[in-house]
Amino acid sequence: MPIRLSQPKEPREFKLPLDVAVKTRPCTTPVIEMAMSRSGRVIGDIEQGMTDLSLVGHDVDSLRDLIRNPDYRAGIAQFAYACALGEALIMEWSGSGVQDEDGNVGPITPDNIRDVMLHPSIARTFVAEVTKIPVALASEGNG
């Protein structure tokens, strides 16, 4: 079995649900680890009552109560993971799903990425697409 020691270095373009198209940097192990770390840190910040978090339309006090439910906690962690990957990897986006009220494509900002990732079909598809190559490499024994 041949071993591929490197990943593609060129950006990728793909379509997401709800008329969103993105161009992303290659997803690498450090990016995945960063996103996982941020996801865990967000949960910790919520538990500690950090007041500067704006996540899923809740204030931190209500989120702190909600994450006592392990399923809700997992959902917040996965959402934070998708947002972190988006912030690290999205270079460009287009489509009606990222347009403002005037029909202009919105800027790629943490708040806009959060709002786009609030759509479960977008977040799930985005994570699956950007991690497809690293997951395939790991399954070949190159992890």
Side-chain angles (χ1 to χ4, degrees):
M1 164 177 59
I3 296 176
R4 291 188 293 163
L5 296 177
S6 65
Q7 300 184 80
K9 294 175 177 48
E10 298 302 317
R12 281 182 66 215
E13 294 182 38
F14 52 92
K15 293 184 188 246
L16 298 170
L18 305 176
D19 195 30
V20 175
V22 293
K23 180 177 183 179
T24 63
R25 293 173 185 82
C27 186
T28 61
T29 299
V31 170
I32 291 171
E33 294 298 324
M34 173 280 304
M36 289 171 55
S37 175
R38 180 172 315 160
S39 176
R41 192 171 61 253
V42 164
I43 295 294
D45 289 350
I46 293 168
E47 288 174 333
Q48 293 177 24
M50 302 293 258
T51 57
D52 62 343
L53 292 173
S54 59
L55 195 66
V56 297
H58 294 286
D59 60 69
V60 175
D61 290 331
S62 66
L63 276 176
R64 194 168 44 247
D65 289 337
L66 289 168
I67 65 170
R68 289 187 180 123
N69 175 316
D71 296 326
Y72 201 91
R73 180 186 194 93
I76 293 292
Q78 183 62 25
F79 174 74
Y81 178 69
C83 289
L85 287 174
E87 288 178 36
L89 299 174
I90 296 173
M91 303 168 64
E92 298 174 16
W93 61 16
S94 62
S96 63
V98 291
Q99 291 177 348
D100 62 20
E101 307 81 43
D102 299 323
N104 301 312
V105 172
I108 300 168
T109 65
D111 286 345
N112 285 344
I113 289 170
R114 178 201 63 220
D115 291 348
V116 168
M117 294 299 169
L118 278 171
H119 298 277
S121 60
I122 291 176
R124 278 190 219 110
T125 304
F126 178 78
V127 169
E129 282 294 323
V130 298
T131 61
K132 186 185 294 184
I133 293 172
V135 167
L137 288 172
S139 71
E140 293 175 3
N142 298 324

